[in-house]
Amino acid sequence: MGTNAFGQSLRRKEDFALLVGQGRFTADLVCSGMAVAVMIRSPHAHAVIATIDRAAACALPGVLAVLTGADYAAAGLGSIPSGSDLIRLPGTPPDQDFAFRPQHPALSQGKVRFVGDTVAMVVAETEAIARDAAELVMIEYDTLPAVVATDAALGGPAVWPEAPDNLCFTWSAGDTEAVDAAFAQAAQIIRMDSRNPRVQVGSLENRGAIGEFNPGTGRYTLTSGTQMPHGIKDALGQAFGEPADRFRVIVTDVGGSFGIKNALYPEQILVLWAAKHLGRVVSWVGDRTDSFLSDYQARDNVYTAELAGDGGGIFLALRVTSTAAIGAYLAPKGQLSPTSNWPAVAGVYRFPAIAVTVRGVFTNTAPTEVYRGAGRPEAVFLLETLVDHAARVLGIDRLALRRRNMLTPAELPFRTGLGLNYDSGDFPTMIDTALVRADYAGFAARRAASKMLRGIGWAHYCERVAGSWDEHAWLELRADGRVTALLGTQSNGQGHATAYAQLLASQLGLDPDDIDIVQGDTDRIPSGHGTGGSASIPIAGAALAEASRDLVKKALPLAADALEAAEIDIEFVDGSFRVAGTDRAIGWKQVASGLGNKMLEGQGWWKPTGPTFPNGCHVAEVEIDPETGAWDLRRYTMLHDFGQVLNPALLEGQLQGGVVQGFGQAFGEAIRHDPATGQMLTGSLMDYALPRADDLPALTLETLPTAAPNHPLGIKGCGGAGAAGGAPAVMNALMDALATLGVVHLNMPATPEAVWRAIQGAPISAKSTR
């Protein structure tokens, strides 16, 4: 395939090992002789830990240790690092900061603050003994009032005495004065209250960690599934109060993450501490209950959105107020989703002014973290459902309203109200083509023929990705002609081994099967940001391209020697080193054969000068049974602009997975708590409605690329796009069907009960519309 690799649907190199059971996930690395840890978690949402009696547990044969928060404090261990500074966007006050940032020790000290908070760790010879011992640990709690609802947090029972009003931070961005002036002059103001429910990510592989300590070197080794090995390494150094270079992080196969495994967790600290304390390798592998109770969760926002119009359907300004649940502790990246990606709320429209205010609040729930799109899907959902709502209120066709306000290619580059400079895209052609592919023209006939309530909806997005950090790449050419690439990103199911090999093949003219990809070892790979933000291929891929050029440059003297020519006369063309003006040429294997026991190394570095702007339009079509509220997604079409596409099959997989996650939020996913006790009511897959394959139709994808001016390979990034379009397209389709009965608004998740109640409360009977 060689230089023709770019743009081909190369089959995933990873899949054979996974399909025949040769995958190496964290649980697969647990072996006999390892000590096993089990966590004791709080059964209360908020309580004082009165006493812990571990005597009976410690006396059980096979128990190695029962460790508590008091032991943790005595060992001098510190807090899980809690977030970076609040991001600064245009209009963010320079003095804006956290009102309170609590400590988050890996074991609770004095109080528990959510159901699932880690209270103690039992380490034993086997998991069965550890679980039996955990049952023998007697803990007495004095319960306290708790608050679990986001919109009840401000003024509710205090999660932390230092934050009596439960405020973690207030953050704002945009031009408040311009927005206020636009609203003062507006002929029409459309208001919509909405929410984005709390979700549990539900990775296929539960979290796990294996800790080792070498007393001879004073170094720790953590084996655990994560997206960001080097970030975990640095965070461990902070938690232990030791230099980061004393920690090695190893990552093997990862069964899904979507952002939720990129931050440090208590168990990763605890297995290393226990390993040092006991002089044993200590493993912990969580079960599904652990995941529901203690994984970082996501979303959980309550909004008020207001749109100012001129009376003719032209947008004048957008104002958003958001309350975002942080949970009981500020997670390592807990402030990012509620703040940093609000620029996506500008969408594809020419809003003259935008202002956003966010209040991050503590609740007696698990901390929230970044999750697929990290704030972009939330912003797109709010915007696109607001535009549909505005069209219904104003009595303007949804498509016409969008077209009146949509940016055209002639207006690019365009600076949005939150500071982004859109540099590419053809948004009108995107939505027009998407509607053609979805057969929007035939929808009226399908609706008329249906015995159900049928609706169609769409969502158009533009997001910024891959513009915030740098990546390095290292290449090693060996004597057998194989090339190894080392990168600080980390695959957790995306297909990096395939995509990076394919990219290198196109640069070097090699067969992708002759290229090996190494990730997930902080000792072998000097640095790396990790995977996130739809940036692995755009940023690390560009670094690989730079490393390829460096490798070619360093190979020229070897090629010249082999060809018995002057180095200045050697050119590299289509994977061959050629004497210019002749047919004398050799390939990489011939060059490599002269290396002997040595390696030829190439290095590359890339930091983007600005983000890329992938964009697209999703169209969904649904049918609702008015008697039961049950509904089905009948058709789904996606049009996207990702710039140059490296591997169409991998791209389609990324989009399909993202759409399912967006659809899941519309369909039924929501973490629910008892408001009185704080107990989780959706703590298993029997209660939490993850979508299944047969809940969705075929998902049709087409790409409509435009150039990415700021990227050397023309790539824009795609990881969060499916989730960005999925939820709003489906909810807009549902509302299109329900609006025929006079239903005004419906929040996610649109469970059959919620839809049925909306129908029962509608001013128009469903029977009269059929």
Side-chain angles (χ1 to χ4, degrees):
M1 186 175 284
T3 54
N4 297 317
F6 201 108
Q8 302 299 311
S9 288
L10 183 67
R11 296 179 68 177
R12 283 170 38 115
K13 298 176 66 174
E14 301 91 336
D15 286 348
F16 178 79
L18 297 173
L19 289 170
V20 299
Q22 295 176 359
R24 297 174 67 249
F25 299 89
T26 303
D28 296 315
L29 306 177
V30 177
C31 59
S32 61
M34 289 185 181
V36 180
V38 166
M39 304 300 154
I40 298 175
R41 304 192 185 281
S42 170
H44 301 291
H46 198 192
V48 173
I49 302 172
T51 62
I52 300 178
D53 183 351
R54 52 185 168 179
C58 290
L60 189 69
V63 171
L64 301 173
V66 179
L67 300 171
T68 69
D71 301 315
Y72 188 89
L77 297 171
S79 172
I80 295 173
S82 61
S84 57
D85 293 337
L86 293 172
I87 191 169
R88 300 286 187 255
L89 292 176
T92 301
D95 59 347
Q96 210 159 74
D97 203 351
F98 292 95
F100 178 62
R101 299 174 70 169
Q103 294 289 296
H104 185 186
L107 289 175
S108 301
Q109 298 176 6
K111 283 185 180 180
V112 291
R113 290 180 168 84
F114 69 96
V115 174
D117 214 349
T118 311
V119 179
M121 172 176 61
V122 179
V123 186
E125 295 289 356
T126 69
E127 181 180 351
I129 295 173
R131 290 194 180 279
D132 287 344
E135 295 290 335
L136 297 175
V137 178
M138 296 293 104
I139 305 175
E140 292 186 2
Y141 298 92
D142 295 328
T143 59
L144 298 169
V147 60
V148 292
T150 306
D151 48 7
L154 291 171
V159 179
W160 295 91
E162 298 88 343
D165 55 0
N166 287 323
L167 184 67
C168 179
F169 63 82
T170 299
W171 175 90
S172 58
D175 191 335
T176 302
E177 290 186 4
V179 168
D180 289 345
F183 271 82
Q185 300 171 8
Q188 296 152 327
I189 296 176
I190 309 300
R191 174 182 168 130
M192 183 183 75
D193 294 324
S194 182
R195 63 177 60 237
N196 206 304
R198 176 176 285 249
V199 297
Q200 206 275 341
V201 173
S203 298
L204 187 62
E205 178 199 20
N206 295 319
R207 292 187 297 110
I210 300 172
E212 303 174 59
F213 178 73
N214 185 329
T217 62
R219 297 195 73 212
Y220 304 80
T221 299
L222 173 71
T223 302
S224 188
T226 179
Q227 298 172 230
M228 297 184 172
H230 291 86
I232 297 294
K233 170 184 170 179
D234 292 342
L236 285 169
Q238 294 179 56
F240 278 80
E242 299 188 36
D245 61 10
R246 291 188 183 173
F247 296 85
R248 180 186 187 186
V249 177
I250 296 174
V251 185
T252 53
D253 290 320
V254 182
S257 175
F258 314 107
I260 222 68
K261 292 179 184 172
N262 70 11
L264 186 64
Y265 277 90
E267 296 87 356
Q268 293 167 321
I269 298 172
L270 295 175
V271 295
L272 291 175
W273 174 42
K276 182 178 182 180
H277 180 72
L278 298 170
R280 295 278 297 274
V281 179
V282 178
S283 67
W284 171 80
V285 177
D287 58 20
R288 190 58 63 181
T289 298
D290 283 305
S291 291
F292 270 99
L293 293 179
S294 66
D295 281 6
Y296 296 135
Q297 295 172 355
R299 312 300 196 224
D300 202 351
N301 307 293
V302 177
Y303 309 110
T304 295
E306 297 173 287
L307 193 157
D310 71 346
I314 300 298
F315 301 159
L316 300 179
L318 176 63
R319 181 162 57 203
V320 176
T321 301
S322 170
T323 302
I326 299 302
Y329 304 93
L330 179 63
K333 294 180 175 61
Q335 82 287 358
L336 289 184
S337 290
T339 60
S340 64
N341 280 316
W342 269 110
V345 83
V348 296
Y349 310 110
R350 61 178 78 83
F351 285 106
I354 302 173
V356 178
T357 299
V358 180
R359 295 172 298 184
V361 296
F362 295 113
T363 54
N364 293 111
T365 59
T368 53
E369 255 288 358
V370 295
Y371 167 53
R372 197 140 196 183
R376 293 186 294 273
E378 295 95 309
V380 172
F381 173 79
L382 183 65
L383 173 66
E384 286 298 292
T385 54
L386 174 64
V387 172
D388 263 31
H389 178 70
R392 287 190 292 272
V393 172
L394 296 174
I396 301 175
D397 177 78
R398 295 174 294 163
L399 184 57
L401 183 62
R402 283 175 167 81
R403 283 175 170 153
R404 291 180 199 181
N405 294 280
M406 189 172 290
L407 291 164
T408 66
E411 296 173 87
L412 304 183
F414 178 86
R415 184 173 177 82
T416 73
L418 290 177
L420 297 185
N421 288 297
Y422 290 172
D423 60 12
S424 59
D426 187 344
F427 309 139
T429 298
M430 180 68 69
I431 193 169
D432 290 345
T433 306
L435 292 174
V436 169
R437 299 293 183 268
D439 189 23
Y440 180 52
F443 171 71
R446 292 192 294 277
R447 169 179 270 179
S450 176
K451 296 181 180 180
M452 305 292 182
L453 297 174
R454 195 167 184 117
I456 191 169
W458 49 83
H460 207 155
Y461 80 94
C462 182
E463 57 180 356
R464 60 156 186 193
V465 303
S468 300
W469 58 82
D470 64 342
E471 285 287 2
H472 289 80
W474 297 266
L475 299 180
E476 298 172 349
L477 174 67
R478 300 189 297 273
D480 60 1
R482 297 188 66 83
V483 170
T484 298
L486 298 93
L487 300 106
T489 57
Q490 178 60 51
S491 180
N492 37 98
Q494 298 94 332
H496 284 184
T498 303
Y500 288 143
Q502 193 168 354
L503 193 153
L504 278 173
S506 70
Q507 296 287 313
L508 298 175
L510 291 170
D511 190 295
D513 288 337
D514 290 332
I515 298 170
D516 302 306
I517 307 299
V518 175
Q519 302 176 96
D521 186 340
T522 59
D523 272 11
R524 188 169 181 192
I525 300 163
S527 65
H529 178 274
T531 291
S534 304
S536 290
I537 300 303
I539 298 181
L544 275 177
E546 293 294 318
S548 298
R549 285 186 276 274
D550 187 50
L551 188 67
V552 169
K553 180 179 178 181
K554 291 176 177 176
L556 289 175
L558 296 174
D561 288 345
L563 290 166
E564 298 180 341
E567 182 180 339
I568 196 172
D569 293 328
I570 304 298
E571 57 184 12
F572 181 74
V573 180
D574 294 335
S576 296
F577 294 87
R578 184 181 306 276
V579 179
T582 75
D583 59 358
R584 295 176 59 216
I586 58 174
W588 282 103
K589 289 188 181 298
Q590 293 94 325
V591 170
S593 64
L595 290 171
N597 295 325
K598 299 180 180 179
M599 289 190 304
L600 190 65
E601 298 180 342
Q603 295 187 28
W605 174 84
W606 173 257
K607 183 173 184 179
T609 58
T612 64
F613 295 100
N615 59 90
C617 183
H618 291 212
V619 185
E621 199 166 320
V622 302
E623 278 191 330
I624 303 171
D625 182 345
E627 300 296 329
T628 66
W631 57 273
D632 292 307
L633 182 61
R634 293 297 188 188
R635 299 159 68 100
Y636 201 94
T637 304
M638 300 172 275
L639 262 288
H640 283 282
D641 173 9
F642 296 121
Q644 297 301 309
V645 176
L646 174 62
N647 185 311
L650 290 182
L651 173 68
E652 188 171 14
Q654 285 284 296
L655 268 292
Q656 289 173 345
V659 166
V660 172
Q661 288 173 307
F663 166 79
Q665 285 197 258
F667 172 77
E669 288 191 53
I671 287 290
R672 301 183 188 276
H673 298 87
D674 184 310
T677 66
Q679 291 294 325
M680 187 183 294
L681 303 178
T682 51
S684 76
L685 292 175
M686 294 293 290
D687 307 298
Y688 185 86
L690 279 178
R692 300 168 185 261
D694 61 358
D695 290 322
L696 291 99
L699 306 177
T700 303
L701 169 66
E702 184 174 326
T703 58
L704 201 67
T706 63
N710 289 326
H711 195 276
L713 303 176
I715 296 171
K716 294 186 178 183
C718 71
V730 171
M731 290 303 294
N732 281 345
L734 287 168
M735 277 305 303
D736 182 52
L738 294 173
T740 61
L741 308 181
V743 176
V744 175
H745 184 69
L746 184 68
N747 276 318
M748 295 192 294
T751 63
E753 179 187 357
V755 174
W756 181 83
R757 290 188 181 279
I759 292 170
Q760 296 306 304
I764 302 172
S765 169
K767 293 181 181 179
S768 67
T769 65
R770 288 187 287 166

